[in-house]
Amino acid sequence: MRGDGRVGLPPFAVRPVLVVATAVAGVLIALSGRYGFHRDELYFLLAGRHPAWGYVDQPPLTPLLARVGSAVFGADPTGLRVVPALLSGCSVVLTALLARELGAGRDGQVLAAGCCACSGYLLAIGHLLSTSTFDLTAELGVLLLTARLLRTRDGRWWPALGAAVGTTLLNKQLVLSLLLALLLALLVDLSAARARPGPPLPRPGGARRLPGPLLALLLALLICAPTLVWQAAHGWPELKVARVLSHVDGLSGRLLFLPLHLLQFSPVLVPVAVVGLRRLLRADELRWARPLGLGYPLLCALALLGGGKPYYPLPLLLAVTAAGCEPVVRRARHSWRSLTGFLVLAAATSALAALPVLPVRAVTVTNAVDIDQGEQIGWPRLARTTAAAWAGIPTAQRARAVLLTSNYGEAGALARYGPAYGLPTAYSGHMSLYDWGPPPDGDDGPVLLVEQADGHRLAGHFTGCRTVDRIDNGLGVANQEQHAEVVLCEGAHQRWSALWPSLREY
């Protein structure tokens, strides 16, 4: 292969890669109903009932997927999670295609698909519907198109890259950090290339009428323009939420960034990623792909400086891992016996941490690694406990009573399970639920609060408050709602329209 990478690609290993993708999607669907809805999924289902071009904490795509998925496949955990399982299968295929783009033959592509399928991150976000589910698939698509552009220098790929970035921005803004890291890596590599002896790298080709990058930028802006307009009109609330989350994690989040990053990826797969990073930075045949290798540590640094989550750079880490699969296969001398054992170990450890494979009562064991396991427990019981407290309000007062929660998980659970128990609409000032309130001023009766045990922020706005019950999931599983208080108050200090701004919570 020439240093500019302009040669034909190995054939794509369609059948074995699709077998791996189908297997991981099938496992995810089979296990999808083991526990229950995650708090974020309940929020997405609720947000899907309020379609908009944006929300306080996210663009519109994931709530839309929740609405479509539940309508097509069913409004239970299994139906909602069919789309995440299919997206995870797509991520497996894209990782194999990235390996092919980086010169991997059939076995290297299959190993790349296997590494992706065995990653704890893929299994965790494939089991649940989250903003990260679509984001992984979309960012892998962006990375594949970027690799194709770097390898071929063919400007005809710029429009596809712009469309992919624009679509990704309808789900999350994290792709901007990825693009910034890749741009910085490209500049560093170009500076180093000028200092190296030998022929210069060929200049990237472009479109005939517009420079390729400009055309890609215009397409991306055109696709995501509605959500950008929504955010601007509402004062860029996503930035406020990001600042709050960064402050919450603080110094401890930064100190634990790298260990959690590798743990979420899978410690077993780290050696393949190390081989891939070394290959991207040193191999002459992949000189064109060096920005992918340089971009990974740069993206980690950007996430650290910005107070980002440890999983933010994981899509790029999967691309780096894909680069290491071909040399790993060669060193194994095409013997899949040792590689199969390696993948089985990775799959077993990742599944134990990320999937509902243990009995529900044993979730406490995995909660220390993945707190999302515990957040799938106890929502129907929360609704029943709340309904019992609501029934304790005198019938004559109940028509003017208000149900208020401290967060979107509680509100989403009451929206999902509450109607069966005769509960009314639950209000909340948390995230985008604030925009769907306040209750009517005419609802000046008792107020029933559902508030986390360490909260007590809501009760200060009301009179005559007393705790009437506590939430207990009955399994001893620690989560945000375990031991939450159900508080009955006589009424509010002021009208809801005047009180509501003070209940805003990011």
Side-chain angles (χ1 to χ4, degrees):
M1 178 182 288
R2 287 167 45 183
D4 60 12
R6 290 182 294 173
V7 297
L9 292 175
F12 182 43
V14 179
R15 289 185 179 180
V17 168
L18 287 181
V19 167
V20 176
T22 302
V24 73
V27 168
L28 290 171
I29 293 174
L31 295 174
S32 59
R34 286 270 295 149
Y35 295 166
F37 286 111
H38 186 273
R39 63 185 310 109
D40 290 354
E41 292 176 314
L42 292 166
Y43 176 42
F44 297 143
L45 285 169
L46 192 54
R49 300 180 187 177
H50 300 268
W53 279 113
Y55 301 89
V56 164
D57 50 343
Q58 62 189 305
L61 189 54
T62 297
L64 178 62
L65 290 177
R67 180 169 182 169
V68 172
S70 61
V72 174
F73 301 108
D76 57 358
T78 297
L80 184 66
R81 293 168 180 172
V82 170
V83 170
L86 296 177
L87 286 171
S88 298
C90 292
S91 295
V92 169
V93 174
L94 288 169
T95 304
L97 286 170
L98 269 165
R100 174 177 178 257
E101 199 72 31
L102 296 167
R106 181 182 185 277
D107 289 348
Q109 295 170 34
V110 175
L111 178 59
C115 287
C116 181
C118 295
S119 167
Y121 180 59
L122 177 111
L123 295 179
I125 65 174
H127 168 60
L128 306 171
L129 177 65
S130 72
T131 53
S132 298
T133 309
F134 181 85
D135 201 57
L136 174 61
T137 306
E139 286 199 26
L140 286 172
V142 168
L143 286 167
L144 178 61
L145 291 168
T146 301
R148 178 62 60 92
L149 262 171
L150 290 171
R151 184 181 65 82
T152 65
R153 314 283 174 169
D154 187 346
R156 289 175 295 181
W157 290 102
W158 280 111
L161 179 60
V165 169
T167 304
T168 308
L169 287 171
L170 290 175
N171 182 68
K172 246 182 181 183
Q173 275 76 51
L174 288 183
V175 70
L176 297 178
S177 298
L178 173 64
L179 294 175
L180 177 59
L182 292 175
L183 177 60
L184 293 174
L186 182 61
L187 294 176
V188 170
D189 186 52
L190 288 176
S191 298
R194 293 191 184 100
R196 288 196 298 262
L201 290 174
R203 294 183 178 180
R208 287 288 182 265
R209 297 182 179 178
L210 282 176
L214 179 58
L215 180 59
L217 176 62
L218 291 175
L219 277 172
L221 289 175
L222 179 64
I223 292 172
C224 70
T227 192
L228 292 178
V229 170
W230 190 96
Q231 285 288 323
H234 290 77
W236 301 101
E238 281 193 62
L239 297 180
K240 299 176 184 177
V241 173
R243 284 195 294 267
V244 170
L245 293 177
S246 176
H247 177 72
V248 168
D249 289 340
L251 178 62
S252 62
R254 287 173 168 83
L255 293 176
L256 292 173
F257 181 91
L258 184 59
L260 289 176
H261 173 68
L262 298 178
L263 188 63
Q264 290 172 354
F265 173 61
S266 172
V268 180
L269 300 178
V270 169
V272 184
V274 171
V275 172
L277 185 60
R278 182 187 178 105
R279 183 178 177 226
L280 287 171
L281 296 179
R282 297 187 178 183
D284 288 337
E285 74 271 13
L286 289 183
R287 189 177 71 174
W288 57 271
R290 199 158 293 163
L292 296 177
L294 292 170
Y296 170 64
L298 286 172
L299 183 56
C300 289
L302 289 174
L304 265 171
L305 291 173
K309 301 291 185 182
Y311 64 82
Y312 287 0
L314 285 177
L316 186 51
L317 181 56
L318 277 172
V320 170
T321 304
C325 289
E326 182 64 18
V328 166
V329 165
R330 289 176 182 172
R331 290 173 192 176
R333 297 178 181 177
H334 298 279
S335 171
W336 277 95
R337 181 175 300 175
S338 59
L339 292 179
T340 301
F342 163 80
L343 290 175
V344 168
L345 177 61
T349 54
S350 294
L352 186 64
L355 294 179
V357 294
L358 296 176
V360 178
R361 291 184 178 275
V363 170
T364 303
V365 176
T366 57
N367 234 15
V369 178
D370 182 11
I371 60 173
D372 287 329
Q373 298 274 37
E375 297 304 325
Q376 303 171 62
I377 307 298
W379 297 113
R381 194 154 181 155
L382 180 145
R384 287 197 298 271
T385 302
T386 305
W390 181 262
I393 300 174
T395 305
Q397 301 178 28
R398 213 176 296 161
R400 296 183 293 108
V402 170
L403 180 58
L404 185 68
T405 71
S406 63
N407 63 58
Y408 63 59
E410 297 158 352
L414 295 178
R416 174 66 179 81
Y417 300 107
Y421 298 104
L423 286 175
T425 298
Y427 293 91
S428 178
H430 191 213
M431 296 300 184
S432 279
L433 275 87
Y434 175 88
D435 299 322
W436 309 330
D441 284 338
D443 290 351
D444 55 358
V447 180
L448 187 66
L449 308 177
V450 181
E451 188 164 31
Q452 291 177 347
D454 57 353
H456 304 290
R457 192 184 70 85
L458 293 177
H461 298 282
F462 306 96
T463 60
C465 296
R466 59 186 178 89
T467 300
V468 296
D469 210 339
R470 290 183 181 273
I471 306 300
D472 183 359
N473 55 46
L475 300 169
V477 176
N479 56 28
Q480 293 186 44
E481 267 55 58
Q482 180 69 340
H483 306 310
E485 297 182 2
V486 182
V487 180
L488 182 60
C489 304
E490 294 176 359
H493 288 308
Q494 52 189 323
R495 292 180 306 161
W496 284 107
S497 56
L499 174 62
W500 199 242
S502 62
L503 299 181
R504 162 72 87 179
E505 182 72 28
Y506 291 105

